[in-house]
Amino acid sequence: LAKTTQPISMDSYEGQEVNITCSHNNIATNDYITWYQQFPSQGPRFIIQGYKTKVTNEVASLFIPADRKSSTLSLPRVSLSDTAVYYCLVGDGLADSNYQLIWGAGTKLIIKP
Amino acid sequence: ETGVTQTPRHLVMGMTNKKSLKCEQHLGHNAMYWYKQSAKKPLELMFVYSLEERVENNSVPSRFSPECPNSSHLFLHLHTLQPEDSALYLCASSQDTGRDTEAFFGQGTRLTVV
């Protein structure tokens, strides 16, 4: 099974840039890398998705090296409201199913004043 | 507001009760999902519906029974649950069942089985 590895938790301060790195050694050739954000007692929310190199939207940037065995979510100038759990997702490269995204434990990001 | 609404937000039920969770999506999506999120565990996919047909059942006990009467509504019928079934139950929808398709989640139902 494809598997992602992320730090369990991270701390940072308001106004800082935060980078969360995810390892996915068994990613399939045609899989995208997707990041979701989850606040307490709410459902996850899509942040960003990419296949290779760099993707940027109004919320974050996603950096993917050429070998695609890892990816880094970058949150610029974080605020207290960015405190949440961040999930890195890739498909299960061995499964026939189209919807077997593998959810890991995520990274609990705590932003301090 | 994600366009996916779940009711109720909180539910406490006894082990002999029968209850139902409801999910409604206003996004015109073709796929709907039930997930279970237990404390300190990753999200677990329970059921997948595509165009009202169940296409995935991830070895979920029969005390959980899904129903999808149309593409906008999804139910999860609960009966004779166990305390270990206490969790946050999340509904999601997406345009299709492609694993790279963005999923939109509801706020969840916090279920406590006593």
Side-chain angles (χ1 to χ4, degrees):
Chain A
L1 295 176
K3 184 177 178 180
T4 58
T5 302
Q6 305 173 233
I8 294 175
S9 65
M10 293 179 67
D11 291 352
S12 188
Y13 293 89
E14 284 190 290
Q16 299 294 306
E17 178 184 81
V18 172
N19 296 309
I20 306 174
T21 296
C22 176
S23 298
H24 27 80
N25 291 318
N26 295 324
I27 188 170
T29 304
N30 58 341
D31 277 335
Y32 279 73
I33 299 153
T34 309
W35 286 78
Y36 282 80
Q37 174 192 56
Q38 186 177 23
F39 298 113
S41 296
Q42 292 190 28
R45 184 179 71 128
F46 175 92
I47 301 176
I48 197 167
Q49 183 181 77
Y51 183 78
K52 63 179 180 180
T53 62
K54 177 184 176 183
V55 179
T56 298
N57 62 22
E58 65 277 6
V59 176
S61 294
L62 180 60
F63 299 91
I64 305 169
D67 66 4
R68 301 193 343 112
K69 293 185 183 298
S70 67
S71 58
T72 299
L73 175 72
S74 181
L75 305 172
R77 297 179 298 282
V78 292
S79 64
L80 296 176
S81 62
D82 291 314
T83 294
V85 178
Y86 292 81
Y87 296 95
C88 164
L89 298 166
V90 298
D92 180 344
L94 299 179
D96 294 331
S97 162
N98 282 335
Y99 26 75
Q100 286 294 356
L101 289 177
I102 308 299
W103 292 78
T107 297
K108 185 174 183 179
L109 175 64
I110 298 174
I111 306 301
K112 302 175 182 178
Chain B
E1 181 58 53
T2 63
V4 179
T5 304
Q6 290 186 244
T7 54
R9 291 293 309 279
H10 301 272
L11 178 62
V12 179
M13 60 185 289
M15 289 188 284
T16 59
N17 292 158
K18 289 185 179 181
K19 296 287 184 183
S20 296
L21 309 185
K22 179 182 177 182
C23 177
E24 183 175 0
Q25 58 100 356
H26 310 276
L27 301 168
H29 288 165
N30 294 320
M32 296 188 77
Y33 312 79
W34 280 116
Y35 284 87
K36 176 184 178 182
Q37 187 172 34
S38 304
K40 302 189 187 303
K41 291 180 69 175
L43 265 73
E44 301 171 56
L45 179 64
M46 299 175 72
F47 301 105
V48 181
Y49 277 82
S50 176
L51 297 171
E52 303 150 45
E53 295 291 323
R54 190 191 311 179
V55 296
E56 184 80 4
N57 177 348
N58 273 358
S59 302
V60 179
S62 59
R63 57 185 184 270
F64 295 92
S65 176
E67 178 190 1
C68 187
N70 55 61
S71 60
S72 298
H73 294 86
L74 186 65
F75 295 89
L76 187 63
H77 304 300
L78 315 171
H79 63 98
T80 58
L81 295 192
Q82 304 298 311
E84 59 265 29
D85 296 322
S86 298
L88 181 68
Y89 287 85
L90 292 161
C91 173
S93 72
S94 59
Q95 186 59 52
D96 55 56
T97 55
R99 61 188 172 206
D100 301 319
T101 304
E102 179 180 350
F104 293 77
F105 285 81
Q107 292 189 296
T109 295
R110 174 69 63 185
L111 174 67
T112 303
V113 181
V114 297

